[in-house]
């Protein structure tokens, strides 16, 4: 789970630019490999992602967000994860390392997005400096 300050930055980004995360989640390969091949429908993709990341989600809205916020399901998350099971044979197969590398490649846009929000490029703008309080409180 991200630290409170990182979580506040992620929530701020989702509030301001939800299309960025949604575009990444809607990628065909990500949906196929990590989101149970859900159809390319924004609502269904978000629901599938949230269902896989909701173990530690807030029960109510985060502080400073309205309960009827258009992206409240994403804002309630405290972790942003995808996973899938791999058969044991992958690890001993001659091309197993390539299969794993391919899966990691599919995850790269999601990881890059999350990192860009919580670890902004110092040569860029100060957009990552939120001054926000802990984003973990329920309200």
């Amino acid at each position: 789970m991200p630290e409170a300050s990182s979580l506040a930055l992620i929530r701020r980004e989702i509030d301001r630019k939800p299309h960025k995360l949604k575009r990444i989640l809607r990628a065909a390969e990500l949906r196929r490999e990590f989101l149970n091949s859900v159809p390319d429908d924004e609502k269904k993709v978000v629901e599938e992602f949230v269902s896989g990341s909701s173990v530690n989600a807030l029960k109510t809205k985060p502080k400073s967000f309205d309960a009827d916020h258009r992206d409240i399901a994403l804002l309630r998350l405290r972790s942003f994860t995808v996973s899938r099971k791999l058969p044991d044979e992958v690890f001993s197969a001659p091309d197993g390392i390539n299969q794993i590398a391919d899966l990691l490649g599919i995850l790269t846009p999601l990881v890059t997005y999350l990192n860009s929000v919580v670890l902004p490029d110092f040569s860029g703008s100060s957009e990552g400096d939120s001054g926000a309080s802990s984003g973990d409180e329920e309200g």
Side-chain angles (χ1 to χ4, degrees), residues 56-96:
N56 295 314
L58 297 174
K59 303 274 189 254
T60 62
K61 68 178 186 68
K63 185 193 254 186
S64 78
F65 291 99
D66 293 331
D68 62 349
H69 189 286
R70 71 186 180 277
D71 295 303
I72 196 66
L74 290 170
L75 293 169
R76 288 179 45 230
L77 295 177
R78 288 193 271 193
S79 62
F80 299 82
T81 60
V82 293
S83 66
R84 73 167 275 187
K85 293 184 186 263
L86 294 176
D88 291 342
E89 300 78 46
V90 168
F91 298 98
S92 58
D95 70 336

Side-chain angles (χ1 to χ4, degrees), residues 45-137:
V45 169
V46 168
E47 286 173 359
E48 185 65 28
F49 177 70
V50 166
S51 74
S53 296
S54 65
V55 171
N56 295 314
L58 297 174
K59 303 274 189 254
T60 62
K61 68 178 186 68
K63 185 193 254 186
S64 78
F65 291 99
D66 293 331
D68 62 349
H69 189 286
R70 71 186 180 277
D71 295 303
I72 196 66
L74 290 170
L75 293 169
R76 288 179 45 230
L77 295 177
R78 288 193 271 193
S79 62
F80 299 82
T81 60
V82 293
S83 66
R84 73 167 275 187
K85 293 184 186 263
L86 294 176
D88 291 342
E89 300 78 46
V90 168
F91 298 98
S92 58
D95 70 336
I97 192 77
N98 294 331
Q99 292 178 51
I100 294 167
D102 289 346
L103 291 172
L104 291 173
I106 293 168
L107 293 175
T108 299
L110 179 60
V111 173
T112 300
Y113 166 77
L114 292 170
N115 283 337
S116 73
V117 173
V118 299
L119 303 169
D121 181 3
F122 286 37
S123 66
S125 70
S126 61
E127 201 172 45
D129 181 29
S130 75
S133 65
S134 169
D136 206 22
E137 297 90 14

Side-chain angles (χ1 to χ4, degrees), residues 3-48:
E3 294 179 12
S5 60
S6 296
L7 190 54
L9 291 172
I10 293 169
R11 286 181 175 148
R12 184 181 78 167
E13 183 74 4
I14 291 170
D15 180 44
R16 293 179 178 178
K17 302 173 190 169
H19 63 279
K20 287 184 171 186
L21 176 57
K22 291 175 182 179
R23 182 177 59 237
I24 292 166
L25 296 176
R26 291 180 69 186
E29 290 180 319
L30 186 77
R31 289 184 292 109
R32 182 184 70 239
E33 299 294 342
F34 295 98
L35 298 176
N36 295 317
S37 296
V38 69
D40 186 13
D41 173 273
E42 183 177 290
K43 184 177 179 181
K44 291 178 182 179
V45 169
V46 168
E47 286 173 359
E48 185 65 28

